[in-house]
Each structure stands twice: as structure tokens, then as C-alpha cells.
Amino acid sequence: MYKPRSGSKYRTTQHLKYYNNLMNNIMTKESKAKYEAWLNNSNSNKDKIESTEEANRYLYQLIEDEYVLNHENDGEKFWYEIPQIKKEYDDFRRYLRRLSVSTRRKALLNMASTGMTWEDIKNCFGINAPQLNNFIKNEAKRGYDYRLLANLALLCRVPLSWLMNEEPDDEWDIGYIALIPDRVNTINELISLLQGQRNEYHVVRCAVLNDLQFSLKLRVETQPEGFIVELLNPEISGREFKLLRQILEQFNCKYGYMETVIPGRVNATFYTGTVELPIEFLT
């Protein structure tokens, strides 16, 4: 799990200011000047409603560009406001929806969201920094490899629409799991992975266990200190929870729930050891 460097108190205050300016549509003098110049140059013959909507889009984009630029100018790759926003997860959902899809990708792939550096992501998924930058900037000339998209959705714990659409869906859709090629497929494979998890790497894997009465779809995260197993099934009844608890019984796991970007959707989650739990974990 990535640890931010010293000076976090100062950085958190600064980054929360960036966030508050974004969410409250507060502009600097420079942005106000750009906005007023744009208004003066816009077509006065446009339909009033259409013109207002276009002006609002331009205003929001100006403010968002300033938000991103503030982060770039302070030279700190870790976005300190994100852990603070996640303490009230409804605020985190509103924040992600406020962002364009490009900046939303940047926020979701920030180490403050994933707990992983981009080097960790490369070691885990084989996705390198140029690929991540191209994805964030939407600069892939031939589209995106389906495996890249599926792995990033798994990493970020979001349905694919939250990485691809300006207006993401409010539905817990995990169809991307079928696109992940190196899934854990059996209980024995899962147990072997968890028993051998104590290494220097931070790893995220997908497990689809079909050697049961019904399928279990899991997000498995291992760290040197322990592991986290999250139940992703679109529909969860008591039987999935009981079966997963039985499978993990030998590890003396504790359990709770993980909040998601979908309102009202929480995922049953088991963990062990002194693993560092994300802020969205609920006991």
C-alpha cells in the first residue's frame, strides 16, 4: 500500500482547497477572464437555452482544468483530498460525477484511490505508464485493448461505464470480468494464492469460482501483511456470503462491507492479518 510522503497535513489542506473550488465552481481571475472573453465571442444568435448549456459546459471545464493544473503545479502525484472525500462516500460519488471522463480516470487511477503506484500497476497487470497516460488522455489511436479496460475496472472497483462514459450508469455491472484472461478459476487455485500471498508485491486478481453449486465472482487483493477478498456478484443472497466464509474458514478472516460508486451497493468483504483496509471499508 502506497504511503504518501511527509508534509501530508499541509498538502491535505491545499488539495481540499482545490476540491472545494471545483465542487463550488469557484474561479480564479484568469479563468474568469477566459470565461468572459468566451461569452463575448460566442454566437449571440444561438437559442438561449442551448447557449446557456454550452456556457455552463465551458465554465465547468475551465474550473476542472484549473483543478488539474493546480495538482500538476504543486508537483505532488498523490491527491491528498481523495482519502478525505472518501470518508463521506456520497461526496466521492458526486465528485467523480462532476469530473469529465478523462479527469475521472486520472482520479480513479491516482495512488490515493488505488493504494498502488503506477509501477505497482505495471508489476500487477503489465500496464505501463505510457499506456496509462494514453488512457487518461484518451489518446489511443486504435482503441483500447479489452484486457486493459477490464483490469483497470477491477483495480478501481468500478463498473466499466465509470471509466468510459461522461455519464456513467448507476448499475453494478461486472461484465468486464469475462474479459480478464488470467482469472483464478477454482477453490484450490484461490487457496493456493492466499496461502502464498506473503511477498513484497501488492497484487489484485480476479477469481471466478465455478466449481460450486453457484458461481462466486471475487476481487482478491494481496499485500505483504494479508489479503482482502471482495464479493462482486451482481446479486448477493446469504448463500454466497456463507459459502465464501466457509471457503476462507482456515484463514480466520474478519469481515465487513466495501462501499462502491453505486448508491446503495456494498460488497461483502473478508480480510486477514494486519492488511491495510481502504477508507471505503465498513465494519
Side-chain angles (χ1 to χ4, degrees):
M1 184 70 73
Y2 177 81
K3 302 289 186 182
R5 65 187 186 186
S6 60
S8 63
K9 186 175 181 180
Y10 166 78
R11 295 287 185 183
T12 298
T13 301
Q14 286 296 107
H15 290 192
L16 281 173
K17 183 179 179 181
Y18 305 159
Y19 162 73
N20 288 326
N21 287 349
L22 171 78
M23 299 304 291
N24 294 302
N25 296 321
I26 298 174
M27 290 189 290
T28 61
K29 291 180 180 179
E30 292 81 2
S31 291
K32 285 181 181 178
K34 287 181 181 179
Y35 183 60
E36 289 170 1
W38 182 88
L39 287 176
N40 292 334
N41 292 329
S42 62
N43 187 348
S44 60
N45 295 323
K46 282 185 178 180
D47 179 84
K48 185 176 181 181
I49 294 177
E50 179 185 346
S51 179
T52 300
E53 290 176 350
E54 186 176 351
N56 285 338
R57 285 194 297 270
Y58 183 71
L59 171 66
Y60 293 158
Q61 192 59 55
L62 271 179
I63 294 170
E64 182 179 312
D65 290 346
E66 197 165 76
Y67 170 73
V68 173
L69 184 61
N70 282 332
H71 275 293
E72 291 175 352
N73 287 341
D74 75 11
E76 174 55 69
K77 293 182 179 180
F78 188 94
W79 288 15
Y80 283 87
E81 75 274 27
I82 288 177
Q84 302 301 316
I85 303 168
K86 279 188 172 185
K87 291 178 180 178
E88 294 292 338
Y89 218 74
D90 283 339
D91 290 344
F92 188 60
R93 296 183 186 103
R94 283 191 288 269
Y95 163 69
L96 292 177
R97 281 194 169 277
R98 166 62 178 83
L99 301 174
S100 65
V101 67
S102 177
T103 305
R104 190 186 310 132
R105 291 172 180 178
K106 188 184 290 286
L108 285 170
L109 288 168
N110 189 270
M111 60 190 82
S113 293
T114 63
M116 299 175 78
T117 66
W118 282 17
E119 185 65 23
D120 292 331
I121 294 173
K122 178 183 177 182
N123 292 333
C124 184
F125 298 108
I127 302 170
N128 59 35
Q131 288 175 301
L132 290 172
N133 275 318
N134 287 341
F135 179 65
I136 287 171
K137 296 175 183 178
N138 205 23
E139 292 181 347
K141 295 180 179 179
R142 299 181 181 178
Y144 300 106
D145 187 290
Y146 67 87
R147 291 165 294 188
L148 179 146
L149 297 177
N151 281 322
L152 292 183
L154 180 72
L155 170 66
C156 296
R157 303 183 54 257
V158 296
L160 200 52
S161 69
W162 286 72
L163 292 172
M164 299 303 295
N165 302 341
E166 293 292 347
E167 294 293 334
D169 300 328
D170 267 339
E171 178 183 355
W172 184 248
D173 183 353
I174 58 167
Y176 64 83
I177 282 179
L179 305 176
I180 297 176
D182 57 342
R183 300 188 300 268
V184 174
N185 294 307
T186 67
I187 294 176
N188 287 338
E189 288 179 20
L190 175 64
I191 297 301
S192 178
L193 172 65
L194 298 179
Q195 286 176 336
Q197 58 80 31
R198 292 188 178 277
N199 56 56
E200 59 181 309
Y201 297 112
H202 186 172
V203 175
V204 174
R205 295 284 304 277
C206 174
V208 179
L209 307 184
N210 290 317
D211 54 339
L212 305 163
Q213 295 177 335
F214 43 86
S215 176
L216 291 182
K217 298 175 175 63
L218 311 172
R219 181 185 187 276
V220 182
E221 183 169 350
T222 65
Q223 304 170 20
E225 301 83 6
F227 63 75
I228 302 169
V229 178
E230 182 179 351
L231 185 57
L232 303 180
N233 288 44
E235 296 181 7
I236 300 176
S237 65
R239 65 178 191 171
E240 288 88 358
F241 179 88
K242 290 178 181 177
L243 180 57
L244 183 56
R245 182 169 61 179
Q246 181 180 354
I247 291 170
L248 300 176
E249 187 174 13
Q250 63 178 287
F251 297 103
N252 297 316
C253 292
K254 298 178 182 178
Y255 71 88
Y257 299 89
M258 206 79 78
E259 291 198 83
T260 74
V261 295
I262 307 303
R265 170 75 195 203
V266 295
N267 292 337
T269 302
F270 292 81
Y271 67 97
T272 188
T274 57
V275 66
E276 186 169 351
L277 295 164
I279 292 170
E280 51 265 44
F281 181 81
L282 303 171
T283 55

